[in-house]
Amino acid sequence: MTNFIIDKPNIVFIHLPKTGGTSVRDALGRLEGRYFGHLPEKFRHRHCLAVVREPRARFISAFRMFKYGNKLEGDYYAEPRWPDLSISKALDVIEDPWVGFDRSHRSIPWNLKHHIIPQTHEFNCLYYADTVLRFETLDQQFSNFCTEQGIGVQLPRLRASHDGGEHEDVWSAQDDERFNRIFADDYRALNYAPGVTSSTKNLYNFESLRPKADTIYDIWSIYFSDQKTFVKEAGKALPDDTCALEPFADDIIPGNPSGAWAGRSKDLIAHFHNLQPEFSGASRLSHLLACTIVVLRRAPNCEKAHKLFWRIMDEQFEVIRSELSLRWLVSVADTVSDFGRNTGERAVGMSASIYANSAKLHESELKLFYPKRPWPPRKRFSAGGDLFDGMLTYWTEKGDLIDNMFARSKEVAMLEHTSGKVLMEVIERLTIGPTVYRRFNSISGVKAAPLLKEKVKDKINRILKKRV
């Protein structure tokens, strides 16, 4: 659902997909902005218009658009987007909690779910509607509405879906049962009866659909909108620094985690959206923390970002520490090092960053300059030896460098409540991940192969020279 803010007339159009909304929006006038899943307080005094449709007819229209395309030339959906879609697959999408629908991420399954979730879903904001029109009699009802509002417009017909002709998918008895169960609230609240495409009842009471508290969409309004925000107004890209954090912790981002996105967008909201897939399966709070770090990197003096960052760290880090990848833990450590509230906090943050980045440098060197080797090595011909500037190699079977190093860090971490947790989490990740720390710990205490005596070495060298 999208709440379209219309200028002249000053109304809000609550667009439920596949109810003729594209035509209504095109007829109404200039668009001021769009908000997904919520309506900001400053627009709630405006008259709110919505159009509803018989649930099964609406579902079939969306299904056909994705499978066969629509009749609007040049439109994204003019071409089929999911040619092998079936009724059962579409119902699976609705019931799959790991498929999102809120426009914060764009993919074919997310787009489909956005179009077919029940009209009574709280995301659709029907509880704000002052006037509700019915698709089945839209021409006449829209004309009456325009007359009441003093608008002189005509209603075009846009985005009509193609049908499947003789290849139209057949509904199974199981599909029918699932559909009626999923859309039971639509039939009840919208006064439609299953199998009946129209009704004379137009009285609605949507108060039961209203959320009992502000949702994530309300709290982080700009993120769920079409607005753009740049560095000059970086603070606007984040929710209020006094907002409740619990809803963010409770909101799990759907989808499967993707690889790290290393790009950069000037528009902060677009940048945040591109980061979101990294946090699929994690809480929205982890994603929000990452977004505050992005703002602090670009606008170090942004007071809102500072306050939000430290609120999340002080109040909620235990909730999200296991969700953050080492990449983002290091970003947290760097941010603590840069913006710590005292020298101890900054020093602990720097320690965590140095540990992780030293391991990163070592692993990068191995990947770039050395061939892959079996591990553990079968033979070790020396337990010591010079490295550089008086440094000696790590003594595998007797060395306690790693244990001592981490033990000292633990003592330091205990001195700083918040940044200390970051340091210890980084150390734990380094010791369980495929790093130099884990590899050496795995062979710690294993006796090294004895050194060759000089006479034996000379004999081997002579034999090798003769063979060469």
Side-chain angles (χ1 to χ4, degrees):
M1 186 287 313
T2 307
N3 281 315
F4 287 92
I5 312 303
I6 307 295
D7 179 34
K8 295 180 182 179
N10 289 331
I11 64 173
V12 175
F13 175 49
I14 303 171
H15 180 193
L16 279 64
K18 306 312 296 179
T19 61
T22 301
S23 301
V24 172
R25 187 178 76 242
D26 185 71
L28 281 175
R30 190 174 70 87
L31 180 66
E32 290 184 53
R34 299 183 293 179
Y35 295 89
F36 312 121
H38 71 291
L39 182 62
E41 184 79 37
K42 62 183 178 180
F43 298 117
R44 293 179 192 173
H45 69 282
R46 295 192 181 190
H47 194 94
C48 295
L49 169 70
V51 181
V52 298
R53 185 176 185 178
E54 195 280 325
R56 184 152 168 158
R58 173 176 173 266
F59 175 89
I60 290 173
S61 179
F63 171 83
R64 287 174 174 171
M65 184 176 74
F66 276 80
K67 182 160 185 166
Y68 305 114
N70 67 26
K71 300 175 183 178
L72 182 57
E73 186 177 350
D75 187 63
Y76 173 80
Y77 295 104
E79 298 295 327
R81 292 297 166 181
W82 198 334
D84 64 342
L85 183 65
S86 66
I87 297 296
S88 61
K89 283 182 183 178
L91 295 173
D92 287 342
V93 166
I94 297 179
E95 295 194 298
D96 188 346
W98 294 109
V99 176
F101 53 81
D102 62 14
R103 291 306 207 207
S104 60
H105 172 66
R106 298 298 179 97
S107 71
I108 298 300
W110 281 52
N111 286 351
L112 174 63
K113 191 168 184 176
H114 174 80
H115 281 78
I116 60 177
I117 57 172
Q119 296 163 87
T120 50
H121 192 291
E122 67 176 34
F123 180 77
N124 284 327
C125 295
L126 268 177
Y127 46 85
Y128 285 123
D130 300 304
T131 298
V132 179
L133 311 182
R134 295 176 89 80
F135 176 85
E136 294 76 19
T137 52
L138 183 57
D139 286 340
Q140 184 60 51
Q141 289 191 339
F142 184 70
S143 176
N144 294 340
F145 173 79
C146 291
T147 299
E148 293 170 2
Q149 297 293 319
I151 311 169
V153 298
Q154 288 186 331
L155 186 65
R157 189 162 187 258
L158 304 175
R159 267 196 179 176
S161 301
H162 290 292
D163 62 40
E166 61 183 15
H167 303 292
E168 185 72 87
D169 285 63
V170 177
W171 290 64
S172 69
Q174 184 181 19
D175 291 337
D176 280 322
E177 185 279 325
R178 289 178 68 192
F179 179 86
N180 289 331
R181 171 173 49 80
I182 294 170
F183 289 90
D185 287 342
D186 270 17
Y187 281 112
R188 182 170 52 254
L190 303 181
N191 295 317
Y192 285 102
V196 179
T197 58
S198 63
S199 171
T200 57
K201 297 179 180 179
N202 288 336
L203 298 177
Y204 308 97
N205 183 0
F206 296 139
E207 275 306 305
S208 62
L209 306 179
R210 189 183 297 273
K212 295 180 180 179
D214 283 346
T215 65
I216 291 295
Y217 309 114
D218 295 304
I219 298 172
W220 200 0
S221 176
I222 194 168
Y223 185 75
F224 300 100
S225 76
D226 65 346
Q227 297 184 56
K228 297 181 179 181
T229 307
F230 302 97
V231 172
K232 288 183 179 180
E233 298 180 307
K236 290 185 177 180
L238 297 172
D240 190 83
D241 53 67
T242 61
C243 71
L245 297 178
E246 290 76 14
F248 289 88
D250 293 338
D251 186 58
I252 304 301
I253 298 174
N256 297 315
S258 68
W261 181 69
R264 181 184 177 93
S265 174
K266 291 182 179 179
D267 174 13
L268 288 169
I269 301 301
H271 192 99
F272 296 169
H273 284 172
N274 286 323
L275 290 179
Q276 178 175 299
E278 277 190 70
F279 296 90
S280 295
S283 69
R284 179 71 63 183
L285 188 61
S286 292
H287 177 228
L288 176 60
L289 179 63
C291 295
T292 65
I293 292 172
V294 170
V295 172
L296 286 170
R297 289 284 171 270
R298 301 194 194 185
N301 296 321
C302 179
E303 185 176 352
K304 181 189 283 189
H306 280 276
K307 289 181 178 179
L308 265 178
F309 176 83
W310 287 112
R311 276 196 64 208
I312 296 171
M313 293 300 297
D314 291 337
E315 300 173 22
Q316 300 286 338
F317 182 70
E318 282 295 339
V319 175
I320 63 173
R321 66 188 292 176
S322 63
E323 297 179 347
L324 298 171
S325 66
L326 186 56
R327 153 177 150 87
W328 282 105
L329 282 169
V330 173
S331 292
V332 170
D334 288 338
T335 305
V336 171
S337 176
D338 291 340
F339 303 107
R341 295 163 292 189
N342 56 63
T343 55
E345 212 164 48
R346 299 184 69 174
V348 171
M350 178 64 76
S351 296
S353 180
I354 288 173
Y355 273 139
N357 285 315
S358 296
K360 179 179 178 178
L361 284 172
H362 175 73
E363 302 306 324
S364 298
E365 183 188 28
L366 291 181
K367 186 173 184 178
L368 290 170
F369 300 112
Y370 294 92
K372 291 183 178 179
R373 296 166 293 176
W375 191 269
R378 293 183 179 181
K379 295 182 179 180
R380 290 173 297 281
F381 292 100
S382 176
D386 292 333
L387 286 175
F388 57 89
D389 200 14
M391 297 285 282
L392 304 177
T393 57
Y394 177 57
W395 197 330
T396 306
E397 71 273 22
K398 293 184 179 179
D400 52 8
L401 180 150
I402 295 175
D403 289 341
N404 288 341
M405 186 169 60
F406 287 162
R408 292 189 184 98
S409 294
K410 185 175 182 179
E411 291 182 7
V412 172
M414 293 175 65
L415 301 177
E416 293 293 339
H417 179 73
T418 298
S419 58
K421 293 177 182 178
V422 179
L423 174 57
M424 295 312 299
E425 186 67 26
V426 167
I427 288 173
E428 182 177 349
R429 300 292 183 88
L430 292 174
T431 55
I432 63 176
T435 69
V436 60
Y437 299 111
R438 179 179 175 180
R439 289 196 293 273
F440 274 118
N441 274 336
S442 69
I443 59 173
S444 179
V446 178
K447 188 175 182 179
L451 296 175
L452 296 174
K453 293 183 179 180
E454 289 301 317
K455 289 184 179 180
V456 177
K457 282 185 180 181
D458 290 341
K459 187 175 181 178
I460 291 175
N461 287 331
R462 286 196 299 272
I463 293 173
L464 290 174
K465 285 179 182 179
K466 287 181 180 180
R467 288 187 177 278
V468 172

